[in-house]
Amino acid sequence: MPHSVDLFWSFRSPYSYLATRRIVELRKEYDLQVNVRPVYPIAIRTPKFFKDVHPLWIDYLMTDIQRVGDMNGIPISWPRPDPVRMNRQTKEVPAEQPYIHRLTHLGIAAAETGDGLAFLDQVSQLLWNGKVRGWHESDHLAKAAAKAGFDLAHLDGLIENDFDGYDAKVEENQAALEKSGHWGVPTLAYKNEAFFGQDRVEVCLWRMKQDGLATR
C-alpha cells in the first residue's frame, strides 16, 4: 500500500504554487498517494486578515515569493486578474467573488474524478507563471485542464448547480486542515501531523521515510 498524505492548498496562495512542482516530483519518485484537498484562501476565510496584518507583511511576501521562485527556477508573477477580488487600498474583500469559488470547486471536482494534483499543477502554472494575462478569458483555463487530463466543460457541469454541496466540501477540508494542526496553506498532513509551507515539504518527506516510504 502506498503512503498517503493530504495536501491542503489554495489557488490564491503563491506558496501553494511554489510547492506544487516538488510535490509532483515526490509522487513520481516515491510510492506516494497525494490526496488533494483545496480550501479557500485566507482572504475569503478571514476577510479582515489583510486589514489587520502588519503593514510590512505584503511587501515582505512579494519579495520572498520572488526570491523563492528565482532560487528554484520557478517563474512567478501575481495572477491577473487576482483570483480574489480585493480593494488594494482599503483591503476590503467584497462578498461577491467571480473567480475563487469556481476555481476551488473545480479543484475539488478534479480531485474526485481524476488526478487532482495534475489539475492543481497545470492551473496554478496558468495563474502564476506570468505567461498569460487574462487567464479567465478565451480557452486558457480549458487548455490547462486538458493538459491535466480533464474536460473543463464537464467539471463546470459538475459544480455549476451544486454550489452549496461543493462549498460544504471546502468547509470539510478547512476543518480537516485545522484538525491536522494548522490553518495555512500549503500544508501537507501525514498521519494528522501538519507540515506547513513550501519549505516544509522536505521535512514531511523525511517523516514519511522514517515510516518506510519507498521509491517506486
Side-chain angles (χ1 to χ4, degrees), residues 41-126:
I42 193 70
I44 301 299
R45 288 184 280 150
T46 310
K48 292 185 178 180
F49 175 83
F50 286 96
K51 294 184 72 173
D52 296 338
V53 75
H54 193 285
L56 291 175
W57 190 87
I58 293 179
D59 287 343
Y60 177 82
L61 170 72
M62 300 305 290
T63 298
D64 191 53
I65 63 174
Q66 188 63 62
R67 67 188 174 199
V68 171
D70 291 346
M71 182 181 72
N72 291 285
I74 302 173
I76 184 166
S77 180
W78 203 270
R80 295 183 184 178
D82 192 322
V84 171
R85 178 172 289 173
M86 184 177 78
N87 187 308
R88 291 184 176 272
Q89 282 69 48
T90 67
K91 306 300 188 294
E92 295 285 346
V93 179
E96 184 177 345
Q97 292 290 331
Y99 309 121
I100 193 59
H101 295 101
R102 180 192 179 202
L103 285 171
T104 307
H105 295 181
L106 285 172
I108 290 178
E112 291 178 338
T113 60
D115 189 344
L117 182 59
F119 184 83
L120 299 189
D121 184 26
Q122 293 298 327
V123 174
S124 66
Q125 287 186 57
L126 170 66

Side-chain angles (χ1 to χ4, degrees), residues 22-32 205 209 213-216:
R22 180 57 178 148
I23 295 169
V24 169
E25 291 174 351
L26 293 185
R27 192 179 64 172
K28 290 179 180 178
E29 184 177 352
Y30 295 94
D31 191 15
L32 179 64
L205 174 61
K209 284 183 174 180
L213 177 65
T215 56
R216 291 192 185 276

Side-chain angles (χ1 to χ4, degrees), residues 183-197:
W183 61 95
V185 292
T187 289
L188 289 167
Y190 176 67
K191 292 188 173 180
N192 220 37
E193 181 179 5
F195 300 84
F196 165 66

